[in-house]
Amino acid sequence: MVYYDRLVQLSLSLSLSLSLSLSLSHSLTHSLSPLCLGIAMGLTVSVKWTGLGFVATAGLPLALQALRHFTSFLRELKEYYENDTTTKKKNKRQPIPNLILWGVTAGVTMIAVMTLVYLATWVIHFSVLTQTGPGNIWHAPRFLSSLQGSDHDTGEGGGGHVPYTMWEKIVEIHQKMFDANKNLQTGHSYGSAWYNWPMMEKSMSYWVKHIRGLGSAKVMLQGNAAVFACTSLVTLFMIVGVVCTWTRWDDTSLADQQRQSCLWASWLLFGYAINILPYILVTRVCFFYHYAPSLLFAMLLSGLAFDKYFPPIERAMVVGGVISCCLIFFVSNAPLHYAQFVA
C-alpha cells in the first residue's frame, strides 16, 4: 500500500513539473520559469530518486534554448570582428550576450531551488519523525541519539553520544539509502527486466487474504492492458515517424507543422528513453513500478499522435474505442486491485 502512495505522489509531481515545462519552456526569459521548474523538480526527486530522469527532461528545453542563443551570440561576435573599421566605428557596441547570461542564471537558479526544496523535505521529515523505529539497525549511535526512545538517547537513556546535526543526519541517511540500493543483489519473485515493462509481462501482489465463505481478496499492482497496449504501439510508431521526419528535415516539402510536431515528439521520446534506458545498467533487482515515469511520457505521446495524425472524426472514434477498452479492463479487474472478496 505504501507504493500506491508513492506512485500517486510521484505522478502528481511529475505531472506538475511537466505542465510547467510545457507552458514555460517556450520563453527562456520568463522570470518565473526557473523558479517554478526548480520547485516542481525538487518535489519530484524528493518522492523518488528515479525522478532525476524527469529533471533532465524538463530542463532540456531551457538548455536547448540557451545553446541556441549562445551559438547566435558567437555568430554575431564573429560578424562583428570580421567587419571593416568603418563599420565598427558606426556600431561601437559589441553584441551583449544578455540571453546567454540569463540562460546560465536560469539554470543555476533552477538547480539551486531544486536542491533547496529537496533538502527542505528532509528537514521536515526529521522534524516530524523524532521517534525510533524498525530502521534503527541501519544507523550509527550518534544518529540514534537524536531520536526519542532510543537506547542511545542523550536524555533519559544517557548514551553519552553527541547527536548528529540536521545536515549530518541528511548525509548519513542518503549514504545508507545509496548503499542499500547498490548492495541489493538478491532476486525477487516479482522482479522483472526493463524490456518486460512496456508489455506488462509481470504484475506484483501486495496483499492476499482468504476468508472461508467469502473467498479471497487481493491487492495487486497491475497495469491497464488497454493503456499499455496502446502506449507501446504508439511509442514504436512515433519513433519511426520521428526518425523519418529528421531524415527529411531539409526537404522544402515538409510543412512547418510537421517539424513542430516532430520536435514535441522528440522531446517526449527523450523523456521516455531517459527514464527507462538507464535500467539497462542496473544490476540490482528492479520492479514493474519503475516504469511509471516512462509510462507518463508514453501516454503523452499517445495524445500527441491522436491529435496530429488523425482527422477529427477518426480521432473521436479511436479515442472513444481506447477509453472504452480501458474502462472495460478497469471494471473487470477492479477486484484484484481494491481487495474485493471474490468467491
Side-chain angles (χ1 to χ4, degrees):
M1 303 300 283
V2 173
Y3 168 70
Y4 282 102
D5 294 335
R6 295 171 67 188
L7 179 60
V8 170
Q9 296 171 27
L10 181 62
S11 299
L12 288 175
S13 54
L14 287 177
S15 300
L16 172 62
S17 184
L18 181 61
S19 299
L20 290 170
S21 184
L22 284 170
S23 60
L24 300 176
S25 61
H26 287 293
S27 176
L28 181 63
T29 57
H30 198 297
S31 59
L32 294 178
S33 179
L35 177 64
C36 294
L37 283 174
I39 293 173
M41 290 176 180
L43 294 174
T44 300
V45 180
S46 70
V47 176
K48 198 167 178 62
W49 284 353
T50 49
L52 285 171
F54 192 84
V55 170
T57 307
L60 182 63
L62 295 178
L64 291 178
Q65 288 194 50
L67 180 62
R68 185 185 66 178
H69 292 307
F70 179 70
T71 54
S72 298
F73 166 70
L74 292 180
R75 184 165 53 251
E76 293 176 8
L77 194 65
K78 179 181 179 182
E79 292 175 356
Y80 173 83
Y81 283 109
E82 287 179 349
N83 287 335
D84 55 31
T85 307
T86 305
T87 306
K88 287 182 179 180
K89 288 181 179 180
K90 293 181 180 179
N91 182 20
K92 294 181 180 180
R93 294 182 61 187
Q94 298 184 20
I96 302 175
N98 291 330
L99 290 174
I100 299 174
L101 293 176
W102 171 250
V104 174
T105 304
V108 172
T109 301
M110 185 171 61
I111 295 174
V113 171
M114 179 187 72
T115 304
L116 289 175
V117 170
Y118 177 77
L119 292 176
T121 61
W122 281 106
V123 173
I124 296 173
H125 171 87
F126 286 120
S127 298
V128 173
L129 301 180
T130 59
Q131 305 291 329
T132 58
N136 288 4
I137 58 174
W138 294 95
H139 297 291
R142 282 190 60 200
F143 184 100
L144 298 176
S145 65
S146 63
L147 302 178
Q148 300 175 13
S150 171
D151 294 337
H152 303 279
D153 194 341
T154 55
E156 297 179 0
H161 297 283
V162 179
Y164 273 165
T165 63
M166 180 65 71
W167 175 251
E168 288 175 326
K169 287 195 289 187
I170 293 175
V171 170
E172 176 171 308
I173 200 166
H174 279 75
Q175 291 175 339
K176 297 297 183 181
M177 289 191 300
F178 179 79
D179 292 339
N181 279 275
K182 181 180 178 181
N183 298 325
L184 186 61
Q185 302 297 330
T186 305
H188 197 282
S189 58
Y190 294 137
S192 56
W194 64 273
Y195 49 81
N196 298 132
W197 301 335
M199 306 314 300
M200 204 179 70
E201 290 189 9
K202 183 177 289 188
S203 57
M204 300 178 64
S205 177
Y206 287 109
W207 178 82
V208 178
K209 188 175 183 63
H210 301 279
I211 297 181
R212 183 176 298 179
L214 292 178
S216 60
K218 297 180 180 180
V219 174
M220 297 186 64
L221 175 63
Q222 183 183 39
N224 190 301
V227 172
F228 274 71
C230 176
T231 54
S232 297
L233 290 175
V234 169
T235 300
L236 291 175
F237 169 78
M238 294 297 280
I239 291 174
V240 175
V242 165
V243 171
C244 293
T245 303
W246 278 110
T247 56
R248 301 176 50 233
W249 194 260
D250 296 329
D251 191 344
T252 55
S253 64
L254 194 64
D256 291 339
Q257 185 177 5
Q258 289 178 285
R259 289 188 173 89
Q260 187 68 26
S261 298
C262 179
L263 291 175
W264 281 115
S266 299
W267 182 50
L268 293 175
L269 284 172
F270 173 81
Y272 180 89
I274 201 171
N275 281 284
I276 190 173
L277 294 183
Y279 287 100
I280 298 176
L281 305 177
V282 175
T283 56
R284 52 150 286 186
V285 62
C286 295
F287 299 96
F288 175 58
Y289 56 72
H290 287 117
Y291 184 60
S294 290
L295 179 61
L296 177 61
F297 285 99
M299 289 189 288
L300 291 171
L301 274 169
S302 300
L304 179 65
F306 293 153
D307 183 60
K308 298 298 183 181
Y309 297 106
F310 287 94
I313 297 179
E314 287 80 354
R315 182 194 310 152
M317 295 175 60
V318 172
V319 173
V322 172
I323 293 176
S324 298
C325 292
C326 292
L327 289 175
I328 292 172
F329 186 88
F330 174 80
V331 173
S332 61
N333 288 271
L336 297 177
H337 305 152
Y338 297 102
Q340 299 178 15
F341 283 95
V342 178

